[in-house]
Amino acid sequence: MRCLVTGGNVKVLGKAVHSLSRIGDELYLEPLKDGLSLRTVNSSRSAYACFLFAPLFFQQYQAATPDQEPVRCKILMKSFLSVFRSLALLEKTVEKCYISLNGRSSRLVVQLHCKYGVRKIHNLSFQDCESLQAIFDPASCPHVLRAPARVLGEAVMPFAPALAEVTLGVSHGRRVTLRSYQEEEADSTVRAMVTEMSIGEEDFQQLQAQEGVAVTFCLKEFRVGVSDLRAASRPPCPAQDLTLPLPSQGLLSFAESANLSLSIHFDAPGRPAIFTIEDSLLDGHFVLATLSEPDLQSQDLGSQQPRRPEPPLQANSAPHLDDFTNDDIDSYMIAMETTAASEDFRALPSLSSGPQPPCSPDPNSEEDEAEPSTVPGTPPTKKFRSLFFGSILAPVHSPQGPSPVLAEDSEGEG
Amino acid sequence: MPLLTQQIQAEDEQYSLVASLDNVRNLSTILKAIHFQDYATCFATKNGIKVTVEKAKCVQANAFIQAGIFQEFMVQEDSVTFRIHLTVLLDCLSIFGSSPMPGTLTALRMCYQGYGYPLMLFLEEGGVVTVCKINTQEPEETLDFDFCSTNVINKIILQSEGLREAFSELDMTSEVLQITMSPDKPYFRLSTFGNAGSSHLDYPKDSDLMEAFHCTQTQINRYKISLLKPSTKALVLSCKVSIRTDNRGFLSLQYMIRNEDGQISFVEYYCCPDEVPESES
């Protein structure tokens, strides 16, 4: 793989890397026919992020030489980030950025051509890897919000930096609210303040959700998400009229800086929320676990279950729905890594169940182990699920075993 | 001249060193450029003060503050030498705050009575005077790197701006910084070999950053990155840097630092090369 990024796009690329670095410690870089994909997942596998830079984003882009197998690799986020460490300098000094990945030399080479003829050459070591793929499908989420990233960015600003989670919901009057989430057991000082922001329907470009729906997710990753997607966009190609955002760190800031609209797709609590931005030159997806709420969950068990009988099927079909969903052994393996221990337990309580949709995030894998002992319907109060697990509902009643849900057979991946 | 200065005038004879300065930052800035160890040795002659800091017998930093930087500078003996806790000295010099409000200057009067006496600092800002006494210690012998300009093989003068980023982003997982200086490509190259892989930074000799390029033969030397990293402090303050290596591979980095009044001082780092294992060369 070789590609050349020039001008303002170097900064866009840098911003994307910065936002990914807020999520995970490893970066999966995969040159695809339809663009260069950068992906990461956090250590608890409750948040997954990926950017796909279209070939047009680059001055030159060659995914693989004709006689070559496409190479993909996994590198330490830190080492890749160090190449793009200072965005200000990147903008000021870097004129061109060549990236080449050669299976034979086992080096990912990033060359920055800077002002004054200075050249920086980074030879980064990498590991071979399978493709990283979370299985999710925005189309299957019944609720969709779409708004300029700026609107969401401003809405998140008042929340304390230390706040762990926010609840996003639609309250009556069809106002969209963001509310600080209070853990039941949180001590009183923490609970002393609740922050709530509400945004009128008119600020949204799309608001497809009934009143009363709500999901809770990690604020930090959301911030990342919003800012990053915002930032991603300054198109380098002369022909392109890009309106991508520039700002800060996450998807939110990314999206904000690019002036992009951010779409939030979500479903019942416990199922992942998917944040997307799209542009002609790149698109970004952030998938965050949402908190399953005990009370809601019991209801969900009843009501929700029938509603989504798509499980294993969905897993298989998902890949076709989305570029990022191509699945293969690796994601299966990844899923197994975290699930294997708890799987058996999970099967024990096997109540009933339907297969779970493949997409759900959860940050606390350890908690999973505790799970077997809980009676269905009384799960721990606070729980996220791995993106690679079945949904939160799954464990309780999924007789199916994890594998069918987790990934499809590897043949799908190109 | 601050009031303070006049009051003390009469007592001057008893001191072996007296120096006063209208803007203490002209001194503290230079000292910060070599502040990578707690203790420093000070040598004062009628030309000015040289402050030396060393580490591991492998690196030495010298700050030269010429007499001209001071409004008053007097040395009674040929030379006055003492060792002092540099961190404490810097803390005292910035006792009115290290980033003063614009328009307010802290004036300094520094007196040293001689061997065994403390260094006395009188700092005055807005009519408030603080007196600090810092104990001095037996001076230690400093290293002589015997770096002689006639033995210099390669010499480059760069605008500091061009190196600043490079040094601030050095891959600290690399044990060494390898410096290549050559009359041919790559001319001037900084390389690191860290956990994440290797990186090289090349400066062409015709770059606008390059003020002078006198390389006579190709030299590739490695220096412990942990020893060179502290020089970043001097680099960020400086406007130009001269990089020289001699026939033994010893490295001299000279930084030209312009103070708030436009006067120039120099800070110099010497570093000895890392031994190259047989197998690697």
Side-chain angles (χ1 to χ4, degrees), chain A residues 79 116-117 119-121 123 125, chain B residues 165 196 198-202 207:
Chain A
S79 48
Y116 305 120
R119 291 197 178 182
K120 294 183 190 173
I121 304 149
N123 301 300
S125 43
Chain B
E165 189 194 350
S198 61
S199 54
H200 306 284
L201 187 57
D202 293 354
S207 166

Side-chain angles (χ1 to χ4, degrees), chain A residues 130-131 327-335 407-410 413:
Chain A
E130 295 298 334
S131 170
D327 191 34
D328 67 5
I329 294 191
D330 191 48
S331 58
Y332 176 77
M333 294 306 287
I334 289 169
E408 70 171 337
D409 294 337
S410 54
E413 168 65 21

Side-chain angles (χ1 to χ4, degrees), chain A residues 199-214:
Chain A
I199 312 165
E201 187 179 4
E202 64 280 4
D203 284 324
F204 286 83
Q205 293 150 325
Q206 186 184 0
L207 176 52
Q208 174 194 319
Q210 335 57 326
E211 288 178 12
V213 299

Side-chain angles (χ1 to χ4, degrees), chain B residues 1 21 25 49 55 58 66 110 114 125 152 161 179 211 234 239 255 267 275 280:
Chain B
M1 186 177 284
L21 194 58
R25 283 156 56 81
I49 303 180
K55 185 172 179 183
C58 288
Q66 311 90 291
M110 188 164 71
E125 183 179 312
V152 166
E161 180 197 339
I179 300 182
E211 299 253 321
C239 46
Y255 300 91
V267 166
E275 231 168 286
E280 270 185 56

Side-chain angles (χ1 to χ4, degrees), chain B residues 11-200:
Chain B
E11 305 164 19
D12 274 1
E13 291 76 34
Q14 65 181 96
Y15 294 114
S16 54
L17 167 68
V18 176
S20 55
L21 194 58
D22 287 345
N23 182 1
V24 71
R25 283 156 56 81
N26 289 345
L27 175 63
S28 58
T29 306
I30 304 291
L31 295 182
K32 278 181 197 154
I34 56 163
H35 182 212
F36 60 90
Q37 287 285 76
D38 276 344
Y39 284 95
T41 309
C42 303
F43 308 89
T45 64
K46 63 179 191 334
N47 297 321
I49 303 180
K50 180 173 95 166
V51 184
T52 302
V53 176
E54 292 178 347
K55 185 172 179 183
K57 300 270 184 221
C58 288
V59 67
Q60 180 185 73
N62 297 301
F64 301 93
I65 306 121
Q66 311 90 291
I69 300 279
F70 298 93
Q71 273 66 51
E72 182 198 356
F73 189 82
M74 186 205 68
V75 180
Q76 298 287 19
E77 301 152 35
D78 280 351
S79 76
V80 175
T81 310
F82 56 89
R83 187 166 182 262
I84 196 163
H85 199 289
L86 183 58
T87 312
V88 171
L89 175 60
L90 279 168
D91 284 348
C92 292
L93 293 178
S94 54
I95 206 155
F96 285 109
S98 50
S99 46
M101 318 238 295
T104 61
L105 292 180
T106 306
L108 165 74
R109 183 179 175 84
M110 188 164 71
C111 308
Y112 176 62
Q113 215 167 319
Y115 183 81
Y117 286 90
L119 179 71
M120 314 254 294
L121 303 176
F122 302 85
L123 291 130
E124 186 247 46
E125 183 179 312
V128 178
V129 177
T130 305
V131 182
C132 309
K133 292 184 188 179
I134 306 172
N135 285 337
T136 55
Q137 300 185 343
E138 193 83 40
E140 277 189 355
E141 203 171 327
T142 55
L143 299 171
D144 178 8
F145 277 74
D146 191 23
F147 193 95
C148 174
S149 58
T150 52
N151 294 331
V152 166
I153 306 269
N154 292 314
K155 173 177 174 179
I156 285 173
I157 299 177
L158 270 177
Q159 291 183 13
S160 302
E161 180 197 339
L163 270 189
R164 235 169 262 164
E165 189 194 350
F167 269 75
S168 62
E169 294 187 355
L170 280 181
D171 177 0
M172 296 303 290
T173 63
S174 172
E175 198 181 329
V176 295
L177 174 67
Q178 178 176 296
I179 300 182
T180 306
M181 293 168 97
S182 165
D184 308 305
K185 266 193 146 184
Y187 306 114
F188 179 53
R189 164 176 278 194
L190 302 175
S191 312
T192 52
F193 309 88
N195 297 342
S198 61
S199 54
H200 306 284

